Amino acid sequence: MRYCLGIESTAHTFGAAVVTVDGEILSNEKEMFATLSGGMIPNEVADHHRKVKDRVIERALQQAGIDISVVDLVSYSHGPGLPPSLLVGMECAKELHDKYGLTVIGANHALAHLTIGSLVCKVVDPVYVYVSGVNTQVIALAGNRYRIFGETLDVGLGNALDKFGRAIGLGFPAGPEIENLAQEGSYVELPYVVKGMDVSFAGLVTKAQQLFSKGVSKEDLCYSMQEVCFAMLAEVTERAVAHTEKKDVLLIGGVAANKRLCTILDVMCTARKARFHAAPLKYAGDQAAMIAWQGVLNYLGGKRLETFEFYPHERIDEIDVVW
Ligand code: ATP
Ligand code: FE2
């Protein structure tokens, strides 16, 4: 076995990528569904994916310099995600199976974020801080399962930033603009909510919106949102590091783009004598190289596809780690 073609379709991104069995990423193509409003209507997203899928796969093969006939394995993201989008990825894999007799395997999208991070950053067994739009989880391997040590009790950090950004008139996604505005701001108090090992952002977003309508500046609110949200996340991560005694922390997901978050986690890690790593941006957010790589790991670990299915709510801690 040499080449795995990965297909990503869980949310707004349709991606296709070719990765070798040794973890060399030969291509990583994608197209993203976008609207001015920033809203995602599941059926519209699925229509977008159907429209672009053939050309994205074609580009991924071309970029890798291989023909579909030499692909050994097709890996599709089987969840979690929006059912209409998941269906497109699965249908794609099934089509390739029916047409070319290719072997197919499914991969969990969240897990794939972790394993591609480890691959490209060359980090073995870290505490993962996974912060995307929808997800905010602190995860580490314990035995043969990934265990979620802490997570958001309501919205993901990216969505919290986006929601607040929309309320103060920023474009979507708001994360990068918030980061810029924050550089000119100073601190106003916002609710810091850590419950046990979990965090909550919803109340903080509401409070920030209220303060905005009372005239507090965008800059001060952006600065304070970042400081409070990131400190909450660092507290939980620090406790996970202390508990697991792991020596590395790896930041993944779209919010990994944020420099201030990286600095805060880096400072915490240094104090704990752990090393901090952030996945490079092109591998931090949604893309298909991670699905291809997770497919390779699953297959080499002995997993096989039994039926073509998808799992909109599959959690990372339900999966046996066989690699
Ligand atoms: P998933 O399905 O894994 O949850 P997603 O589409 O929700 O993926 P990503 O693509 O991983 O999320 O990340 C998008 C999020 O990252 C958006 O909410 C965006 O605001 C946020 N983001 C991007 N750049 C920055 C930044 N510089 N600072 C803070 N947040 C950022
Ligand atoms: Fe994702």
Side-chain angles (χ1 to χ4, degrees):
M1 188 170 103
R2 180 150 173 77
Y3 299 112
C4 178
L5 172 68
I7 297 170
E8 160 58 26
S9 75
T10 54
H12 47 54
T13 299
F14 185 90
V18 178
V19 170
T20 70
V21 69
D22 313 315
E24 197 186 337
I25 299 163
L26 300 181
S27 63
N28 200 10
E29 295 293 316
K30 62 180 181 185
E31 291 195 29
M32 219 170 127
F33 173 83
T35 52
L36 289 175
S37 67
M40 282 209 294
I41 297 163
N43 286 325
E44 284 182 15
V45 181
D47 287 345
H48 164 266
H49 291 355
R50 283 208 173 79
K51 204 173 83 203
V52 305
K53 69 184 176 56
D54 290 338
R55 67 175 188 232
V56 175
I57 292 174
E58 191 49 47
R59 282 209 308 270
L61 292 168
Q62 251 173 27
Q63 189 69 34
I66 63 165
D67 186 78
I68 186 77
S69 60
V70 304
V71 168
D72 300 289
L73 184 66
V74 176
S75 173
Y76 70 98
S77 47
H78 71 195
L82 304 168
S85 303
L86 290 170
L87 180 62
V88 182
M90 190 191 79
E91 283 173 350
C92 245
K94 186 158 189 321
E95 219 176 286
L96 293 169
H97 169 78
D98 293 345
K99 210 165 159 187
Y100 303 102
L102 300 177
T103 306
V104 174
I105 194 138
N108 177 285
H109 173 96
L111 186 54
H113 270 296
L114 270 52
T115 51
I116 196 79
S118 280
L119 175 75
V120 300
C121 295
K122 299 187 173 61
V123 184
V124 183
D125 198 21
V127 169
Y128 295 94
V129 182
Y130 172 28
V131 273
S132 62
V134 185
N135 292 291
T136 297
Q137 296 179 325
V138 175
I139 304 167
L141 191 62
N144 72 333
R145 288 276 168 116
Y146 281 98
R147 196 173 138 206
I148 300 169
F149 280 86
E151 64 189 317
T152 177
L153 296 169
D154 38 62
V155 288
L157 178 52
N159 284 356
L161 294 171
D162 292 336
K163 183 166 183 228
F164 165 69
R166 191 156 57 239
I168 64 166
L170 306 181
F172 176 86
E177 289 192 61
I178 291 176
E179 182 170 13
N180 280 336
L181 288 168
Q183 288 174 4
E184 311 294 321
S186 48
Y187 188 68
V188 290
E189 197 174 325
L190 290 174
Y192 181 103
V193 187
V194 176
K195 293 182 181 157
M197 286 292 281
D198 294 323
V199 293
S200 157
F201 300 115
L204 193 146
V205 172
T206 307
K207 180 73 187 177
Q209 282 173 250
Q210 284 166 357
L211 290 175
F212 181 66
S213 62
K214 285 187 186 146
V216 176
S217 78
K218 285 182 186 181
E219 287 80 1
D220 286 356
L221 289 169
C222 288
Y223 175 81
S224 310
M225 276 285 286
Q226 287 203 159
E227 294 304 303
V228 176
C229 293
F230 298 169
M232 284 158 53
L233 199 57
E235 178 188 331
V236 173
T237 308
E238 179 169 21
R239 278 196 269 143
V241 171
H243 178 79
T244 60
E245 298 182 348
K246 300 209 191 264
K247 295 285 170 246
D248 294 273
V249 169
L250 175 53
L251 181 63
I252 51 177
V255 186
N258 192 290
K259 300 255 171 4
R260 179 67 186 145
L261 175 58
C262 290
T263 304
I264 289 176
L265 290 175
D266 195 16
V267 168
M268 180 277 286
C269 284
T270 306
R272 282 247 153 228
K273 298 197 167 33
R275 291 172 296 257
F276 173 72
H277 317 258
L281 261 198
K282 64 179 182 175
Y283 300 115
D286 287 359
Q287 28 74 36
M290 67 183 196
I291 303 301
W293 179 237
Q294 187 57 46
V296 169
L297 294 174
N298 287 349
Y299 193 83
L300 294 182
K303 293 199 182 190
R304 296 293 179 265
L305 186 79
E306 279 158 20
T307 47
F308 280 93
E309 258 182 84
F310 57 82
Y311 311 95
H313 304 292
E314 186 180 68
R315 277 168 64 94
I316 209 164
D317 49 7
E318 295 169 25
I319 302 165
D320 281 326
V321 175
V322 291
W323 48 92

